[in-house]
């Protein structure tokens, strides 16, 4: 019986995590277009996490997104979470910070990761997340 309860709670937690990903990805521009900086053909579904699939430790953008109430704000847009010299808005295709849910960003192709320092290239934590 105790094993069944533990299994149920684990499944419920996993489902909640997956649900949150789908909810949050629509709260940022081009959220479904971010790719792995080391493997551009690989999507990075968990934009606010070091793990490309989401879950686990938050990256700098994830911390900033959480602090912004898990919403796209002017402050979050103009901020450079990963310190690579590009604003979060620029990296996600909203360079003028005008995007709102339901609108198309200025661009959705060639977006870069707002939580992974793109100029420094692939650092070990990002590379390990894919392999």
């Amino acid at each position: 019986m105790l094993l069944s309860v533990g299994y149920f709670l684990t499944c419920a937690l996993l489902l909640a995590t997956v649900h949150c990903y789908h909810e949050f990805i629509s709260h940022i521009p081009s959220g479904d277009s971010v790719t792995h900086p080391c493997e551009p053909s690989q999507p990075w579904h968990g934009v606010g996490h070091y793990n490309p699939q989401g879950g686990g430790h938050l990256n700098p953008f994830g911390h900033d997104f959480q602090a912004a109430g898990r919403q796209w704000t002017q402050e979050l847009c103009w901020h450079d979470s990963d310190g690579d010299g590009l604003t979060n808005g620029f990296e996600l295709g909203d360079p003028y910070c005008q995007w709102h849910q339901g609108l198309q960003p200025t661009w959705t192709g060639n977006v870069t990761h707002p939580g992974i320092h793109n100029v420094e290239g692939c650092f070990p934590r990002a590379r390990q997340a894919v392999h």
Side-chain angles (χ1 to χ4, degrees):
M1 176 70 174
L2 188 56
L3 185 59
S4 296
V5 171
Y7 178 75
F8 173 77
L9 291 175
T10 301
C11 288
L13 182 61
L14 288 174
L15 287 174
T17 301
V18 170
H19 171 72
C20 290
Y21 152 69
H22 288 295
E23 177 185 340
F24 296 146
I25 202 163
S26 67
H27 291 183
I28 60 173
S30 307
D32 59 350
S33 300
V34 177
T35 60
H36 195 296
C38 306
E39 305 282 341
S41 64
Q42 299 293 318
W44 195 295
H45 298 295
V47 179
H49 297 269
Y50 282 111
N51 179 346
Q53 299 308 314
H57 296 288
L58 295 176
N59 62 38
F61 178 77
H63 285 290
D64 292 341
F65 180 68
Q66 188 173 50
R70 296 184 175 125
Q71 296 294 322
W72 188 246
T73 64
Q74 288 284 312
E75 183 178 336
L76 180 61
C77 181
W78 289 113
H79 187 62
D80 177 14
S81 294
D82 57 13
D84 63 3
L86 303 173
T87 67
N88 295 329
F90 187 87
E91 294 203 71
L92 293 172
D94 183 24
Y96 307 110
C97 299
Q98 299 172 336
W99 181 86
H100 297 282
Q101 276 185 276
L103 297 178
Q104 279 290 336
T106 303
W107 64 76
T108 56
N110 297 320
V111 298
T112 54
H113 199 299
I116 304 296
H117 195 295
N118 295 299
V119 175
E120 289 181 356
C122 301
F123 60 90
R125 194 171 203 168
R127 188 181 308 252
Q128 289 170 357
V130 164
H131 301 290

